[in-house]
Structure formats: structure tokens, C-alpha cells
Amino acid sequence: MTGHDEFEREFDHQWVSAAEHKEPSARARMLAARWKDEPPGPVPFRGDPGPAAPRRSSWISTAVVLGCVAALVLLIGYARTRSVY
């Protein structure tokens, strides 16, 4: 690497890619060590989805929101009539 100083060589991606040996990541080393003694069992491509909670109907949510808005309007109207007198 003629012409490159230490700082440039540190960030030279071509030099890194040309390396003969690349060390595996820590996770890859951990899994290799774990699987050496006890290999993993077969795993389905996609697991079965867990039981989903029943969803509320959208009209129930709409009714709850509209009821809250109506109660708020009535409460504000009542507060205004009480403050006038």
C-alpha cells in the first residue's frame, strides 16, 4: 500500500475486503460453540400464530367515542349555564 498513510489505510474498504480471512461475528462463534455439543432441532419455516385476542367490533368503538363526545358537550353546556347565573 504505497502512498497511503496509517489513517487512510484504517478506513480503506478495498484493503479490508481483500483480506484473506474474516473472523466470524461473536454471535456466530457463540452459536457454533452451542451447536457443537447439541445441534438445533428442526424448526418450521413459520411458527404457528398464537391465539389472538378477540377484536372489538369497530361500531362499538365508534359508539364509545361518540358517547364520550356527547357527554363532554353536555358537561360543557351545563357548566356554561351554571356560570351565567
Side-chain angles (χ1 to χ4, degrees):
M1 294 201 42
T2 59
H4 290 329
D5 62 353
E6 291 297 318
F7 183 75
E8 288 178 351
R9 183 173 53 186
E10 184 175 344
F11 297 104
D12 189 1
H13 293 288
Q14 290 177 345
W15 178 75
V16 171
S17 297
E20 293 181 19
H21 177 72
K22 293 184 179 180
E23 184 176 336
S25 67
R27 178 165 173 76
R29 290 191 308 265
M30 177 196 68
L31 291 175
R34 183 185 300 169
W35 292 345
K36 184 178 182 181
D37 297 332
E38 152 181 345
V43 178
F45 178 70
R46 292 179 189 230
D48 293 331
R55 293 188 54 160
R56 286 190 306 196
S57 178
S58 63
W59 69 268
I60 293 175
S61 298
T62 304
V64 168
V65 169
L66 290 177
C68 290
V69 169
L72 187 62
V73 167
L74 291 174
L75 181 67
I76 291 173
Y78 178 74
R80 280 190 168 184
T81 58
R82 295 286 295 176
S83 64
V84 172
Y85 297 112

Tab-separated table of all heavy atoms in Angstrom, residues 36-81:
chain	number	residue	atom	x	y	z
A	36	LYS	N	-22.170	-27.191	18.713
A	36	LYS	CA	-21.164	-28.250	18.632
A	36	LYS	C	-21.570	-29.422	19.525
A	36	LYS	O	-21.468	-30.576	19.126
A	36	LYS	CB	-19.815	-27.688	19.065
A	36	LYS	CG	-18.680	-28.649	18.939
A	36	LYS	CD	-17.386	-27.959	19.340
A	36	LYS	CE	-16.203	-28.879	19.194
A	36	LYS	NZ	-14.973	-28.216	19.615
A	37	ASP	N	-22.023	-29.105	20.740
A	37	ASP	CA	-22.414	-30.158	21.673
A	37	ASP	C	-23.839	-30.631	21.441
A	37	ASP	O	-24.144	-31.813	21.600
A	37	ASP	CB	-22.292	-29.646	23.119
A	37	ASP	CG	-20.863	-29.289	23.473
A	37	ASP	OD1	-19.947	-29.903	22.882
A	37	ASP	OD2	-20.658	-28.391	24.307
A	38	GLU	N	-24.712	-29.720	21.089
A	38	GLU	CA	-26.124	-30.055	20.963
A	38	GLU	C	-26.702	-29.323	19.750
A	38	GLU	O	-27.053	-28.156	19.818
A	38	GLU	CB	-26.755	-29.661	22.300
A	38	GLU	CG	-28.100	-29.292	22.394
A	38	GLU	CD	-28.485	-28.921	23.841
A	38	GLU	OE1	-27.801	-29.185	24.828
A	38	GLU	OE2	-29.556	-28.339	23.910
A	39	PRO	N	-26.752	-30.016	18.593
A	39	PRO	CA	-27.245	-29.353	17.377
A	39	PRO	C	-28.720	-28.976	17.507
A	39	PRO	O	-29.475	-29.616	18.230
A	39	PRO	CB	-27.043	-30.391	16.278
A	39	PRO	CG	-26.748	-31.667	16.948
A	39	PRO	CD	-26.360	-31.387	18.366
A	40	PRO	N	-29.129	-27.918	16.811
A	40	PRO	CA	-30.521	-27.479	16.918
A	40	PRO	C	-31.462	-28.461	16.226
A	40	PRO	O	-31.101	-29.129	15.270
A	40	PRO	CB	-30.526	-26.124	16.202
A	40	PRO	CG	-29.406	-26.234	15.226
A	40	PRO	CD	-28.360	-27.084	15.892
A	41	GLY	N	-32.676	-28.514	16.743
A	41	GLY	CA	-33.678	-29.387	16.137
A	41	GLY	C	-34.313	-28.700	14.935
A	41	GLY	O	-34.079	-27.516	14.665
A	42	PRO	N	-35.121	-29.447	14.191
A	42	PRO	CA	-35.791	-28.843	13.033
A	42	PRO	C	-36.801	-27.787	13.482
A	42	PRO	O	-37.498	-27.953	14.472
A	42	PRO	CB	-36.481	-30.016	12.353
A	42	PRO	CG	-36.622	-31.041	13.426
A	42	PRO	CD	-35.460	-30.841	14.375
A	43	VAL	N	-36.840	-26.711	12.736
A	43	VAL	CA	-37.738	-25.602	13.041
A	43	VAL	C	-38.586	-25.337	11.808
A	43	VAL	O	-38.054	-25.268	10.700
A	43	VAL	CB	-36.929	-24.336	13.411
A	43	VAL	CG1	-37.857	-23.177	13.691
A	43	VAL	CG2	-36.040	-24.609	14.602
A	44	PRO	N	-39.904	-25.199	11.968
A	44	PRO	CA	-40.736	-24.898	10.792
A	44	PRO	C	-40.393	-23.517	10.239
A	44	PRO	O	-39.857	-22.662	10.946
A	44	PRO	CB	-42.158	-24.942	11.339
A	44	PRO	CG	-42.023	-24.710	12.794
A	44	PRO	CD	-40.684	-25.270	13.193
A	45	PHE	N	-40.692	-23.341	8.970
A	45	PHE	CA	-40.393	-22.055	8.334
A	45	PHE	C	-41.092	-20.920	9.051
A	45	PHE	O	-40.504	-19.900	9.330
A	45	PHE	CB	-40.798	-22.089	6.857
A	45	PHE	CG	-40.580	-20.794	6.151
A	45	PHE	CD1	-39.308	-20.334	5.892
A	45	PHE	CD2	-41.647	-20.008	5.764
A	45	PHE	CE1	-39.095	-19.139	5.260
A	45	PHE	CE2	-41.452	-18.811	5.118
A	45	PHE	CZ	-40.170	-18.374	4.865
A	46	ARG	N	-42.341	-21.101	9.368
A	46	ARG	CA	-43.099	-20.111	10.133
A	46	ARG	C	-43.793	-20.831	11.275
A	46	ARG	O	-44.448	-21.841	11.066
A	46	ARG	CB	-44.149	-19.409	9.284
A	46	ARG	CG	-43.540	-18.519	8.238
A	46	ARG	CD	-44.642	-17.889	7.431
A	46	ARG	NE	-44.053	-17.199	6.308
A	46	ARG	CZ	-44.325	-15.955	5.976
A	46	ARG	NH1	-45.196	-15.290	6.657
A	46	ARG	NH2	-43.755	-15.392	4.957
A	47	GLY	N	-43.675	-20.270	12.436
A	47	GLY	CA	-44.336	-20.868	13.587
A	47	GLY	C	-45.831	-20.641	13.522
A	47	GLY	O	-46.337	-19.755	12.825
A	48	ASP	N	-46.549	-21.459	14.241
A	48	ASP	CA	-47.996	-21.279	14.319
A	48	ASP	C	-48.293	-20.001	15.082
A	48	ASP	O	-47.692	-19.744	16.130
A	48	ASP	CB	-48.650	-22.466	15.033
A	48	ASP	CG	-48.530	-23.747	14.226
A	48	ASP	OD1	-48.471	-23.637	12.985
A	48	ASP	OD2	-48.499	-24.823	14.838
A	49	PRO	N	-49.197	-19.197	14.584
A	49	PRO	CA	-49.527	-17.979	15.327
A	49	PRO	C	-50.226	-18.333	16.630
A	49	PRO	O	-51.005	-19.289	16.698
A	49	PRO	CB	-50.454	-17.212	14.389
A	49	PRO	CG	-51.023	-18.250	13.491
A	49	PRO	CD	-49.965	-19.323	13.360
A	50	GLY	N	-49.915	-17.568	17.654
A	50	GLY	CA	-50.534	-17.806	18.953
A	50	GLY	C	-51.992	-17.409	18.914
A	50	GLY	O	-52.482	-16.796	17.959
A	51	PRO	N	-52.714	-17.773	19.951
A	51	PRO	CA	-54.137	-17.399	19.974
A	51	PRO	C	-54.272	-15.883	20.067
A	51	PRO	O	-53.689	-15.237	20.935
A	51	PRO	CB	-54.668	-18.097	21.231
A	51	PRO	CG	-53.463	-18.327	22.080
A	51	PRO	CD	-52.309	-18.507	21.138
A	52	ALA	N	-55.029	-15.337	19.175
A	52	ALA	CA	-55.235	-13.890	19.146
A	52	ALA	C	-56.446	-13.535	19.992
A	52	ALA	O	-57.434	-14.272	20.033
A	52	ALA	CB	-55.440	-13.418	17.715
A	53	ALA	N	-56.355	-12.418	20.654
A	53	ALA	CA	-57.481	-11.944	21.456
A	53	ALA	C	-58.601	-11.505	20.509
A	53	ALA	O	-58.341	-10.956	19.436
A	53	ALA	CB	-57.053	-10.786	22.327
A	54	PRO	N	-59.828	-11.733	20.884
A	54	PRO	CA	-60.928	-11.304	20.004
A	54	PRO	C	-60.946	-9.791	19.899
A	54	PRO	O	-60.776	-9.072	20.887
A	54	PRO	CB	-62.182	-11.834	20.699
A	54	PRO	CG	-61.778	-12.055	22.111
A	54	PRO	CD	-60.315	-12.367	22.094
A	55	ARG	N	-61.116	-9.309	18.692
A	55	ARG	CA	-61.124	-7.867	18.446
A	55	ARG	C	-62.511	-7.316	18.690
A	55	ARG	O	-63.509	-7.955	18.397
A	55	ARG	CB	-60.708	-7.586	17.014
A	55	ARG	CG	-59.259	-7.965	16.773
A	55	ARG	CD	-58.823	-7.510	15.433
A	55	ARG	NE	-59.106	-6.078	15.319
A	55	ARG	CZ	-58.545	-5.288	14.459
A	55	ARG	NH1	-57.682	-5.758	13.620
A	55	ARG	NH2	-58.851	-4.010	14.401
A	56	ARG	N	-62.520	-6.093	19.203
A	56	ARG	CA	-63.808	-5.424	19.364
A	56	ARG	C	-64.309	-4.983	18.005
A	56	ARG	O	-63.529	-4.647	17.122
A	56	ARG	CB	-63.661	-4.188	20.248
A	56	ARG	CG	-63.476	-4.520	21.693
A	56	ARG	CD	-63.591	-3.294	22.526
A	56	ARG	NE	-62.669	-2.273	22.056
A	56	ARG	CZ	-62.319	-1.214	22.738
A	56	ARG	NH1	-62.803	-1.016	23.928
A	56	ARG	NH2	-61.483	-0.334	22.250
A	57	SER	N	-65.570	-4.963	17.874
A	57	SER	CA	-66.161	-4.511	16.631
A	57	SER	C	-65.942	-3.008	16.491
A	57	SER	O	-65.919	-2.264	17.471
A	57	SER	CB	-67.657	-4.825	16.635
A	57	SER	OG	-68.243	-4.344	15.459
A	58	SER	N	-65.774	-2.548	15.269
A	58	SER	CA	-65.493	-1.136	15.053
A	58	SER	C	-66.685	-0.253	15.428
A	58	SER	O	-66.511	0.883	15.848
A	58	SER	CB	-65.103	-0.882	13.601
A	58	SER	OG	-66.171	-1.209	12.739
A	59	TRP	N	-67.892	-0.781	15.327
A	59	TRP	CA	-69.053	0.057	15.678
A	59	TRP	C	-69.131	0.270	17.175
A	59	TRP	O	-69.635	1.305	17.625
A	59	TRP	CB	-70.340	-0.528	15.120
A	59	TRP	CG	-70.781	-1.812	15.773
A	59	TRP	CD1	-70.493	-3.072	15.384
A	59	TRP	CD2	-71.599	-1.927	16.941
A	59	TRP	NE1	-71.058	-3.969	16.243
A	59	TRP	CE2	-71.755	-3.293	17.216
A	59	TRP	CE3	-72.219	-1.013	17.785
A	59	TRP	CZ2	-72.477	-3.774	18.280
A	59	TRP	CZ3	-72.954	-1.503	18.857
A	59	TRP	CH2	-73.081	-2.854	19.096
A	60	ILE	N	-68.639	-0.666	17.960
A	60	ILE	CA	-68.630	-0.471	19.413
A	60	ILE	C	-67.666	0.658	19.774
A	60	ILE	O	-67.982	1.529	20.581
A	60	ILE	CB	-68.259	-1.781	20.132
A	60	ILE	CG1	-69.351	-2.816	19.939
A	60	ILE	CG2	-68.020	-1.541	21.617
A	60	ILE	CD1	-69.020	-4.183	20.515
A	61	SER	N	-66.494	0.647	19.164
A	61	SER	CA	-65.518	1.713	19.419
A	61	SER	C	-66.073	3.061	18.993
A	61	SER	O	-65.910	4.067	19.700
A	61	SER	CB	-64.216	1.433	18.663
A	61	SER	OG	-63.643	0.240	19.105
A	62	THR	N	-66.754	3.091	17.865
A	62	THR	CA	-67.345	4.342	17.381
A	62	THR	C	-68.415	4.831	18.348
A	62	THR	O	-68.484	6.026	18.667
A	62	THR	CB	-67.955	4.130	15.980
A	62	THR	OG1	-66.939	3.629	15.115
A	62	THR	CG2	-68.504	5.419	15.425
A	63	ALA	N	-69.240	3.934	18.836
A	63	ALA	CA	-70.294	4.319	19.776
A	63	ALA	C	-69.701	4.842	21.076
A	63	ALA	O	-70.196	5.828	21.643
A	63	ALA	CB	-71.206	3.125	20.043
A	64	VAL	N	-68.626	4.237	21.549
A	64	VAL	CA	-67.983	4.696	22.781
A	64	VAL	C	-67.413	6.098	22.595
A	64	VAL	O	-67.590	6.984	23.447
A	64	VAL	CB	-66.886	3.702	23.227
A	64	VAL	CG1	-66.018	4.286	24.326
A	64	VAL	CG2	-67.507	2.393	23.680
A	65	VAL	N	-66.751	6.339	21.487
A	65	VAL	CA	-66.164	7.658	21.222
A	65	VAL	C	-67.260	8.707	21.090
A	65	VAL	O	-67.173	9.794	21.676
A	65	VAL	CB	-65.281	7.616	19.956
A	65	VAL	CG1	-64.884	9.013	19.517
A	65	VAL	CG2	-64.048	6.769	20.201
A	66	LEU	N	-68.315	8.402	20.328
A	66	LEU	CA	-69.402	9.368	20.172
A	66	LEU	C	-70.118	9.623	21.492
A	66	LEU	O	-70.523	10.759	21.784
A	66	LEU	CB	-70.398	8.880	19.116
A	66	LEU	CG	-69.879	8.905	17.671
A	66	LEU	CD1	-70.931	8.331	16.728
A	66	LEU	CD2	-69.489	10.306	17.257
A	67	GLY	N	-70.283	8.608	22.315
A	67	GLY	CA	-70.879	8.786	23.628
A	67	GLY	C	-70.038	9.691	24.514
A	67	GLY	O	-70.565	10.557	25.232
A	68	CYS	N	-68.721	9.518	24.484
A	68	CYS	CA	-67.827	10.384	25.265
A	68	CYS	C	-67.899	11.827	24.776
A	68	CYS	O	-67.909	12.772	25.578
A	68	CYS	CB	-66.397	9.866	25.195
A	68	CYS	SG	-66.145	8.329	26.097
A	69	VAL	N	-67.937	12.019	23.472
A	69	VAL	CA	-68.030	13.375	22.922
A	69	VAL	C	-69.360	14.010	23.324
A	69	VAL	O	-69.409	15.184	23.729
A	69	VAL	CB	-67.865	13.348	21.377
A	69	VAL	CG1	-68.220	14.689	20.751
A	69	VAL	CG2	-66.442	12.953	21.011
A	70	ALA	N	-70.449	13.256	23.241
A	70	ALA	CA	-71.763	13.788	23.629
A	70	ALA	C	-71.781	14.142	25.114
A	70	ALA	O	-72.300	15.205	25.505
A	70	ALA	CB	-72.858	12.778	23.308
A	71	ALA	N	-71.211	13.299	25.963
A	71	ALA	CA	-71.146	13.587	27.399
A	71	ALA	C	-70.320	14.836	27.662
A	71	ALA	O	-70.678	15.669	28.509
A	71	ALA	CB	-70.574	12.386	28.139
A	72	LEU	N	-69.236	15.004	26.953
A	72	LEU	CA	-68.390	16.192	27.117
A	72	LEU	C	-69.131	17.454	26.691
A	72	LEU	O	-69.066	18.490	27.367
A	72	LEU	CB	-67.097	16.028	26.316
A	72	LEU	CG	-66.037	17.095	26.496
A	72	LEU	CD1	-65.567	17.133	27.941
A	72	LEU	CD2	-64.866	16.835	25.570
A	73	VAL	N	-69.864	17.391	25.566
A	73	VAL	CA	-70.638	18.545	25.104
A	73	VAL	C	-71.696	18.911	26.133
A	73	VAL	O	-71.898	20.096	26.464
A	73	VAL	CB	-71.269	18.252	23.720
A	73	VAL	CG1	-72.322	19.287	23.364
A	73	VAL	CG2	-70.188	18.182	22.653
A	74	LEU	N	-72.400	17.917	26.674
A	74	LEU	CA	-73.412	18.182	27.693
A	74	LEU	C	-72.786	18.761	28.966
A	74	LEU	O	-73.338	19.691	29.571
A	74	LEU	CB	-74.184	16.904	28.019
A	74	LEU	CG	-75.106	16.394	26.914
A	74	LEU	CD1	-75.694	15.041	27.313
A	74	LEU	CD2	-76.207	17.399	26.631
A	75	LEU	N	-71.634	18.244	29.351
A	75	LEU	CA	-70.962	18.742	30.543
A	75	LEU	C	-70.514	20.190	30.366
A	75	LEU	O	-70.700	21.019	31.268
A	75	LEU	CB	-69.762	17.853	30.882
A	75	LEU	CG	-68.975	18.230	32.126
A	75	LEU	CD1	-69.831	18.024	33.357
A	75	LEU	CD2	-67.709	17.411	32.212
A	76	ILE	N	-69.987	20.519	29.209
A	76	ILE	CA	-69.564	21.901	28.942
A	76	ILE	C	-70.785	22.819	28.896
A	76	ILE	O	-70.763	23.926	29.446
A	76	ILE	CB	-68.742	21.978	27.634
A	76	ILE	CG1	-67.392	21.278	27.823
A	76	ILE	CG2	-68.529	23.422	27.194
A	76	ILE	CD1	-66.576	21.139	26.562
A	77	GLY	N	-71.848	22.371	28.261
A	77	GLY	CA	-73.076	23.169	28.220
A	77	GLY	C	-73.650	23.391	29.604
A	77	GLY	O	-74.097	24.496	29.942
A	78	TYR	N	-73.643	22.394	30.435
A	78	TYR	CA	-74.139	22.521	31.804
A	78	TYR	C	-73.266	23.491	32.607
A	78	TYR	O	-73.782	24.317	33.369
A	78	TYR	CB	-74.165	21.143	32.472
A	78	TYR	CG	-74.611	21.184	33.916
A	78	TYR	CD1	-75.950	21.387	34.235
A	78	TYR	CD2	-73.689	21.031	34.948
A	78	TYR	CE1	-76.360	21.434	35.553
A	78	TYR	CE2	-74.090	21.070	36.264
A	78	TYR	CZ	-75.424	21.278	36.568
A	78	TYR	OH	-75.819	21.323	37.866
A	79	ALA	N	-71.949	23.404	32.420
A	79	ALA	CA	-71.041	24.302	33.140
A	79	ALA	C	-71.259	25.746	32.713
A	79	ALA	O	-71.189	26.674	33.541
A	79	ALA	CB	-69.598	23.880	32.897
A	80	ARG	N	-71.558	25.974	31.450
A	80	ARG	CA	-71.790	27.353	30.972
A	80	ARG	C	-73.098	27.910	31.549
A	80	ARG	O	-73.175	29.078	31.884
A	80	ARG	CB	-71.845	27.391	29.457
A	80	ARG	CG	-70.500	27.380	28.818
A	80	ARG	CD	-70.654	27.656	27.343
A	80	ARG	NE	-69.342	27.919	26.772
A	80	ARG	CZ	-69.148	28.262	25.543
A	80	ARG	NH1	-70.190	28.374	24.729
A	80	ARG	NH2	-67.946	28.491	25.095
A	81	THR	N	-74.121	27.066	31.610
A	81	THR	CA	-75.403	27.561	32.140
A	81	THR	C	-75.298	27.827	33.640
A	81	THR	O	-75.941	28.733	34.147
A	81	THR	CB	-76.548	26.563	31.874
A	81	THR	OG1	-76.215	25.304	32.469
A	81	THR	CG2	-76.775	26.397	30.381
